[in-house]
Amino acid sequence: MANVHIKPIGLLDMLYFKSKKVKRDSIIDATAVKELKADYESNIKAHERHPGNQEFVIEDIIIRGRGDVRSYVLRKKDGTNPAFFRAGQFVVLRQMIDGKLICRPVTLSCGPSMTLEGKCMVTVKRVEPDGFLSGYIHDNWKIGDTIETSGPQGTFYYEGIRDAEKVIAVAGGSGITPVFSMACAIADGDEDFDLTVLYGSRTRDDVLFEEEFAEIMKKTGKVRVINVLSEEEDEGCEHGFITADLIRKYAGEGTFSVFAAGSKGMYDFLDGEAEKLGLKKKYYRKELYDNVSRPWEYEGYPMEAKDKTFNLKIKMCDKVFDIPCAANENIMVALERAGIAGPNRCRGGICGWCRSRLLEGTVFIPEETDGRRAKDKELGYIHPCASFATGNIYIEMPNRRN
Ligand code: FES
């Protein structure tokens, strides 16, 4: 090993540094003042990849399933390509309804390569009676309309250094959309992992993307789809629920990850099955966006608050608003109903974009969707998209930003 001699800083070094400073200052003084460029190449590229806003024209509408699911093919309005994304990510739809800005995340239900043709696709299921925005979209969006979204968001995508090479995707109903996007990405060569999809539907008529999946399976041996029907039996399909035994049957030997995308009911069931499988935490991943409704279904909810309406005082910069806040809906929804557009993205308590301070009162936050940092919990910060008032509350929220 070489000997390293560290010389202590002496007087001569100090004089040397001092002379250097004089020289440096003279160079700075002699340099002509130039205006900063308005746009640096790196900033332009960063903006293209992570735009705050994207405007699209609806190019086509595809009706699926029993007619309660629609895919919207969207072409970028300015003729450029939409931001490239990771299969499984979502965008936030922004829609003005009766003068109020309503935002909801929706998965990009296409392969990322589609963006290279200037377009992408989102799929929306009409949700009754909770579908504040989905009903509006089904009833109003038509070909040729202009709509607005955020850039791609979310972390529900395959990551080679974290996930196993073999993935069992468990999808329920319209939860198939991020999984379909992953299958497209594998077929197009944008992702490289083995994907087995256990797709739970009530009947064969409820199955979505069946023809598209068949095309993908013809194109690549890395994707296979097994339909699991709960209310009927059909040739080539499994029958019943997606249990640990069924997952084991299709996973075979070796390590695998489970990616789950569906409703809270499905997750509650699957959590127990994942425990039976003895899956490490990192190998069990759930798509959680926009999944926080019906707080009384979560453990620890104070039932005496259910069905009540409280007062929500909210401070945003120099303005203070007083609005009603129903205990049964999250604080973000109460703000939207009052026409106040707060910052939001995932709407599942995870991304932290809506991080606000609880100044007075109490809220209920389901543990499953409590994505706050430990320090934030200590300092009284909440994520309003995943918090429910359990009494009168006062919060401080930053202004909306894209
Ligand atoms: S919008 Fe993501 S945590 Fe609230």
Side-chain angles (χ1 to χ4, degrees):
M1 198 170 44
N3 286 330
V4 179
H5 298 286
I6 300 173
K7 211 173 87 180
I9 293 179
L11 184 64
L12 286 177
D13 294 314
M14 305 263 277
L15 291 173
Y16 173 73
F17 287 134
K18 229 172 155 183
S19 71
K20 276 275 181 208
K21 182 178 180 307
V22 173
K23 192 172 171 198
R24 192 187 61 202
D25 286 350
S26 69
I27 293 171
I28 291 172
D29 289 344
T31 306
V33 177
K34 275 198 254 164
E35 255 187 51
L36 283 177
K37 278 209 241 170
D39 280 314
Y40 284 92
E41 187 63 19
S42 52
N43 289 350
I44 295 169
K45 288 267 176 283
H47 185 71
E48 278 169 17
R49 284 169 177 75
H50 310 283
N53 235 39
Q54 304 189 98
E55 259 197 337
F56 292 99
V57 174
I58 300 172
E59 188 173 273
D60 197 9
I61 300 175
I62 304 159
I63 299 176
R64 300 183 186 278
R66 293 171 181 273
D68 57 346
V69 178
R70 291 177 183 211
S71 290
Y72 297 88
V73 179
L74 307 174
R75 182 167 288 282
K76 194 81 184 302
K77 194 172 182 181
D78 62 7
T80 62
N81 290 343
F84 201 74
F85 63 93
R86 295 294 306 271
Q89 285 193 300
F90 62 86
V91 289
V92 179
L93 298 179
R94 298 185 182 127
Q95 178 69 54
M96 292 299 288
I97 302 178
D98 297 333
K100 296 170 186 167
L101 179 67
I102 308 297
C103 305
R104 290 289 182 278
V106 60
T107 310
L108 288 150
S109 50
C110 58
S113 296
M114 196 176 186
T115 61
L116 305 178
E117 298 159 26
K119 50 190 184 173
C120 61
M121 183 164 78
V122 294
T123 298
V124 179
K125 180 182 164 71
R126 183 191 276 271
V127 187
E128 302 287 4
D130 302 338
F132 199 20
L133 183 57
S134 63
Y136 179 91
I137 289 175
H138 275 229
D139 294 340
N140 293 280
W141 280 17
K142 51 189 187 311
I143 292 173
D145 282 359
T146 296
I147 63 122
E148 191 191 311
T149 79
S150 70
Q153 316 279 335
T155 55
F156 188 66
Y157 50 76
Y158 182 79
E159 194 61 84
I161 53 169
R162 173 193 53 207
D163 304 314
E165 278 172 32
K166 188 164 35 173
V167 172
I168 306 293
V170 177
S174 56
I176 193 67
T177 49
V179 178
F180 175 66
S181 178
M182 289 175 199
C184 292
I186 293 169
D188 293 340
D190 292 323
E191 296 283 4
D192 186 20
F193 58 96
D194 283 308
L195 178 66
T196 299
V197 184
L198 297 176
Y199 181 18
S201 307
R202 285 190 299 128
T203 67
R204 195 71 186 243
D205 289 341
D206 295 299
V207 172
L208 305 173
F209 297 102
E210 193 165 15
E211 283 169 25
E212 289 92 335
F213 270 127
E215 283 300 310
I216 288 170
M217 285 189 279
K218 264 191 233 157
K219 208 167 155 187
T220 172
K222 288 186 164 250
V223 175
R224 64 181 170 153
V225 182
I226 297 98
N227 287 311
V228 185
L229 308 179
S230 61
E231 290 182 11
E232 68 178 20
E233 294 193 32
D234 201 1
E235 207 190 320
C237 301
E238 292 282 355
H239 176 64
F241 293 106
I242 301 170
T243 59
D245 284 344
L246 196 69
I247 293 173
R248 228 179 256 121
K249 173 177 168 185
Y250 286 99
E253 295 299 313
T255 313
F256 60 90
S257 287
V258 170
F259 283 15
S263 64
K264 179 180 179 314
M266 187 190 102
Y267 292 154
D268 287 348
F269 177 75
L270 203 58
D271 286 350
E273 302 306 294
E275 223 173 281
K276 289 181 203 163
L277 290 167
L279 280 179
K280 275 192 196 164
K281 205 174 168 196
K282 72 166 184 165
Y283 289 142
Y284 178 39
R285 303 191 46 224
K286 290 187 264 187
E287 169 61 304
L288 280 175
Y289 80 70
D290 209 15
N291 230 313
V292 195
S293 57
R294 302 170 187 269
W296 58 91
E297 289 178 358
Y298 291 84
E299 212 183 307
Y301 183 75
M303 289 307 278
E304 61 279 8
K306 189 171 181 268
D307 299 331
K308 290 203 176 126
T309 298
F310 301 110
N311 187 63
L312 165 58
K313 190 165 156 186
I314 170 161
K315 185 175 174 206
M316 277 174 115
C317 282
D318 52 351
K319 292 199 186 91
V320 178
F321 307 90
D322 263 300
I323 61 167
C325 180
N328 296 357
E329 60 188 19
N330 67 57
I331 296 170
M332 191 61 79
V333 172
L335 292 173
E336 283 179 342
R337 282 195 197 283
I340 302 169
N344 68 89
R345 279 189 175 168
C346 72
R347 301 183 69 107
I350 303 303
C351 74
W353 199 246
C354 63
R355 178 178 177 268
S356 303
R357 200 138 71 95
L358 181 65
L359 301 173
E360 278 168 30
T362 53
V363 296
F364 171 72
I365 303 172
E367 202 188 316
E368 295 89 327
T369 54
D370 189 355
R372 295 174 300 162
R373 294 188 200 138
K375 199 68 190 167
D376 274 1
K377 290 183 191 175
E378 222 179 284
L379 296 175
Y381 283 92
I382 60 168
H383 295 168
C385 68
S387 305
F388 299 82
T390 53
N392 294 335
I393 55 169
Y394 182 17
I395 65 169
E396 184 178 23
M397 182 182 242
N399 267 353
R400 177 177 170 242
R401 55 209 192 279
N402 280 334

